[in-house]
């Protein structure tokens, strides 16, 4: 598995981690100190803030899982990939997004710029 | 027209500008000093380097024009939009890409992270 695929797998695993301590360790391995994450709903920096964003998604979608929707492409330290959020692995994703991640010199994430491609219809 | 739509229109106009002096002025209005542009083929910084990249595209695709393929979405100073390169305006694009642009505090571009969605078939 390439470094880039491995990174994205670890990224999705961190988003799926419900244990706060294990998630914190995973996020520290993934992002540099004060690394950034933004999507249409949030714009945060640092491992603790990113962990809180993930906890918020688990609260909103209990039991749902993040899965890879489109394999990563990489050039010049930028990675683009699409993820989905599904009720269980392999199910159709109710939310799909595309992230562009920018790597720091040490190979960890410095910034993730996220956009949404599919969102649930309003109730 | 929103600021974001206006910015993206000016961005595409700069990519279409064949006059080097006018293109330089347009790029200086669009990007901060030492602003970055990267796509799968190049990774450059600064107005002159970006201008040279654009000149290279004009050499490779003489007479072709950049056009908007998908309207821009913006959140937290990040803009995503898709562009196409066509033989004339309104024609089907032979190349399509998606750029994620990150704004500097002054509203100009600090970095553009570009990816390709459609490329011409190999001859």
């Amino acid at each position: 598995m390439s470094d880039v695929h491995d990174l994205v797998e670890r990224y999705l695993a961190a988003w799926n981690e419900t244990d706060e301590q294990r998630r914190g360790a995973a996020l520290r391995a993934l992002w540099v100190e004060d690394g950034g994450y933004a999507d249409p709903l949030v714009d945060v920096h640092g491992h603790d803030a990113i962990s809180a964003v993930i906890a918020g998604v688990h609260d909103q979608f209990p039991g749902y899982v993040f899965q890879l929707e489109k394999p990563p492409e990489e050039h010049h330290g930028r990675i683009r990939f699409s993820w989905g959020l599904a009720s269980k692995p392999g199910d159709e994703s109710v939310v799909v997004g595309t992230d562009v991640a920018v790597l720091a010199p040490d190979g960890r994430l410095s910034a993730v710029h996220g956009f949404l491609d599919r969102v649930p219809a309003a109730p």
Side-chain angles (χ1 to χ4, degrees), chain A:
Chain A
M1 190 179 280
S2 78
D3 287 354
V4 168
H5 279 78
D6 173 66
L7 181 78
V8 171
E9 289 297 328
R10 290 191 293 118
Y11 181 90
L12 295 175
W15 277 84
N16 284 330
E17 180 57 65
T18 54
D19 181 88
E20 191 177 331
Q21 292 220 338
R22 282 199 297 265
R23 187 169 66 236
L27 296 176
R28 287 189 293 276
L30 276 167
W31 259 276
V32 297
E33 297 298 316
D34 208 41
Y37 172 82
D39 66 26
L41 302 176
V42 301
D43 180 11
V44 297
H45 282 86
H47 303 130
D48 290 350
I50 296 168
S51 187
V53 167
I54 296 172
V57 175
H58 293 171
D59 286 345
Q60 195 180 351
F61 294 94
Y64 278 61
V65 291
F66 287 95
Q67 56 190 2
L68 191 64
E69 286 280 327
K70 204 182 288 180
E73 309 159 75
E74 190 267 351
H75 71 79
H76 305 104
R78 283 84 165 171
I79 304 169
R80 178 172 73 165
F81 62 95
S82 297
W83 52 265
L85 182 65
S87 60
K88 62 178 194 290
D91 269 17
E92 188 180 6
S93 298
V94 295
V95 183
V96 174
T98 299
D99 288 0
V100 169
V102 181
L103 298 181
D106 73 359
R108 287 188 296 170
L109 302 167
S110 68
V112 174
H113 311 297
F115 289 85
L116 297 175
D117 302 315
R118 183 195 304 163
V119 293

